[in-house]
């Protein structure tokens, strides 16, 4: 037991501070995302109308932008929310779902980058597309391994002054100078919709918590992989996995 | 065993009559709300386009309006649905999620009150904000206990000629004259998204069932707390709790 | 064991080919639909903005149109997606939720029929309404048995040159000439929201897989009923049923 590892400290911060996390995310994963944040101890809120999103982004501790089911009005509301979060000094995180594969969201995400996210979390295809290196994957699936996107992630991190997490069988988390590698997890995590999107929400919340931001984002990735490993051992398929995953997050051990 | 308690009778009415419950609710809790209603024996339907919502509200037995992820077009559709339900003599219930914290939904809910809901279900901050007493909480979380909002709930109930349920660790259900208190439940209920929103849907359906309306709404609150207590005993965390909660509702005992 | 039955072959095709399935479906069942497709081995993607849906429908292997929570902008996007799928030679499937009961979606589905779906999956009321025979049910519930809609299903199949599946306690799958009957399942399937809608997504994906299309759609219906029966035996109510259902799909046996 090393109770002072970043992962243990992050768990304590989640439970002590219950970061209010404004999630503007896709329609498919909203419930699971909220339940993952609740299991961590965070306080999720999904507010989507432009006027309200603008108002709420300044109140919340952190903002997540996930473009999985982007629409024109949602994009407008997201931009206002990001501007409001920035003005209030609150960190925002980008999950560029399927960027590269679809023109509208690719253009939107490229524009949003000018508003300097604190963190970006995507798979290899998405991170490479965002960095302008590849035409991206086929929908939400990546056709590349995370390690192949590491140079793109590092370049993007340096350019944006952001933490970039490129996740897959192995996760790489980088600020452009330092890079952390996170292993673990289980293939069942890819057979339940929303584990990646929920990780982005945890990353977003972790950016509002005390500690080094690179450590926090890597700890968020590590905790999700740990919960995934434990859930896989306790389950018989993707249905019982999703249930066990939330239970495993709930029981993640904090610092002594 | 007192098999003729309002809770037992309400269970029988749900199973015998399968009230068709039109839910215009937020994007995060739609699935869970539908599954809770199905477990009770009700027939849920989510219809949201203005023209359709107007048509369907007159067909359905009860209508729920939940403003958790309100948008401008959704607000217009909700208003038409409420007017249609009223014209058809069908009861409608308001869940004023995060009212007080956000301007657009606060104004919208204040306007809807003129259309006389049969019932209102909210936490302390929301009920106080709706009654014009407080500026409300921070998102969906309340910063007040339910008992502190009881005077506001009673005043609102008298003014609206409605049943007002202010829920929390203890629930208070009032028509402005009589007040019922419901205890039980479990803190895990607050770690799964949608238990409060689903309760509002059960309250909405219960307003269409035979019996005294105050009794019915209090019974709805009591049954949800009972299912929550049973689920907490059968679960290891919020994931297994959500599963056990639906099973517990399914097995709630009716009158002999 | 007859390992070369269409059901076994379909399972193999799902796992080997991971059909990319573009689901434009209702807000209530998106998560469950995605998880059912993932458990089968398919790759689900929900893309809804008109421009993106048009682009993505040509990339994906199959398209599902489900009108459960139809809106005006969603209807426009659906039409563009269907036209794009057709132009790219990709099959599309229609789930006419609550058609007949509501005017807007009834008119929309009637118009969509001119764009020749590969398959249609609905309950008895919906299929009869689509065939112009009945005014339809009350919301998503059917007031007729599947067998009573078989003549309508056969007429519709001949007229559309499509596979029509009319499902209920017994499922009938027809191309207008041949008709297959599928039994099994469990009443608990009707107490979890989205089992019918998820079946439509599996039908949509199966239309993109090798083999006779009537065989494939009947196999999709049979596999869902088999998973439902197994899940019912392993569960204590609708909550544990939904979990066990995904696990059962995951363990469905393919051809040797």
């Amino acid at each position: 037991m090393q109770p002072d590892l970043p992962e243990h400290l992050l768990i304590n911060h989640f439970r002590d501070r219950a970061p209010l996390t404004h999630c503007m995310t896709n329609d498919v994963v909203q419930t699971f995302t909220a339940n993952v944040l609740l299991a961590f101890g965070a306080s999720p809120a999904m507010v989507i109308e432009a006027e309200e999103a603008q108002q709420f982004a300044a109140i919340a501790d952190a903002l997540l932008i996930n473009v999985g089911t982007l629409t024109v009005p949602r994009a407008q509301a997201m931009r206002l929310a990001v501007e409001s979060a920035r003005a209030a000094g609150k960190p925002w995180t980008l999950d560029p779902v399927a960027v590269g594969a679809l023109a509208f969201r690719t253009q939107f995400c490229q524009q949003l980058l000018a508003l300097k996210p604190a963190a970006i979390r995507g798979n290899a295809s998405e991170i490479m597309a965002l960095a302008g290196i590849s035409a991206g994957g086929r929908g939400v699936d990546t056709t590349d391994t995370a390690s192949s996107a590491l140079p793109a992630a590092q370049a993007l991190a340096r350019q944006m002054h952001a933490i970039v997490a490129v996740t897959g069988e192995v996760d790489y988390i980088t600020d452009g100078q330092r890079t952390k590698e996170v292993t673990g997890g289980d293939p069942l995590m890819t057979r339940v919709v929303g584990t990646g999107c929920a990780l982005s929400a945890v990353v977003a919340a972790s950016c509002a918590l005390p500690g080094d931001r690179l450590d926090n984002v890597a700890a968020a990735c590590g905790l999700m992989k740990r919960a995934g490993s434990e859930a896989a051992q306790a389950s018989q398929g993707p249905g019982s996995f999703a249930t066990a995953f939330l239970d495993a997050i709930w029981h993640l051990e904090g610092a002594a």
Side-chain angles (χ1 to χ4, degrees), chain A:
Chain A
M1 280 297 304
Q2 295 168 283
D4 54 350
L5 285 176
E7 293 190 7
H8 296 103
L9 295 172
L10 188 66
I11 283 292
N12 285 16
H13 290 320
F14 264 107
R15 294 178 186 159
D16 293 346
R17 292 166 183 260
L20 183 58
T21 310
H22 181 186
C23 299
M24 301 186 77
T25 189
N26 72 72
D27 295 339
V28 191
V29 304
Q30 292 200 51
T31 311
F32 189 67
T33 299
N35 281 331
V36 164
L37 285 174
L38 285 167
F40 265 98
S43 181
M46 281 67 174
V47 174
I48 55 173
E49 177 62 28
E51 180 196 317
E52 288 201 339
Q54 188 173 28
Q55 188 184 356
F56 194 66
I59 299 171
D61 297 312
L63 171 66
L64 168 68
I65 300 293
N66 172 311
V67 299
T69 52
L70 195 65
T71 61
V72 169
R74 194 67 62 92
Q76 291 166 336
M78 285 174 170
R79 181 187 306 275
L80 289 171
V82 168
E83 287 169 352
S84 175
R86 270 169 61 83
K90 308 295 178 69
W92 73 279
T93 291
L94 176 64
D95 184 336
V97 179
V99 154
L102 293 164
F104 171 58
R105 66 182 65 190
T106 302
Q107 194 173 18
F108 176 68
C109 286
Q110 293 290 0
Q111 290 169 351
L112 270 196
L113 285 182
L115 298 172
K116 301 287 180 196
I120 301 168
R121 202 290 311 167
N123 66 29
S125 297
E126 292 157 356
I127 295 300
M128 287 195 283
L130 209 57
I133 287 171
S134 149
R138 213 165 151 259
V140 296
D141 293 331
T142 186
T143 46
D144 305 285
T145 65
S147 64
S148 64
L150 184 52
Q154 290 166 327
L156 192 62
R158 280 191 296 270
Q159 191 189 341
M160 292 292 123
H161 301 288
I163 308 298
V164 177
V166 50
T167 63
E169 199 176 319
V170 178
D171 298 345
Y172 298 91
I173 302 94
T174 183
D175 62 5
Q177 315 298 329
R178 295 173 297 159
T179 297
K180 299 196 164 211
E181 188 178 319
V182 174
T183 59
D186 190 275
L188 265 181
M189 296 179 82
T190 66
R191 293 288 111 192
V192 173
V193 78
T195 51
C197 295
L199 168 57
S200 296
V202 178
V203 164
S206 78
C207 288
L209 292 173
D212 177 74
R213 193 165 280 175
L214 180 69
D215 280 349
N216 278 1
V217 175
C221 294
L223 290 166
M224 290 288 273
K225 279 201 180 296
R226 184 176 305 184
S229 301
E230 289 177 9
Q233 289 179 339
S235 59
Q236 289 78 47
S240 47
F241 174 84
T243 297
F245 185 65
L246 293 170
D247 286 357
I249 293 170
W250 180 251
H251 290 291
L252 284 169
E253 202 169 354

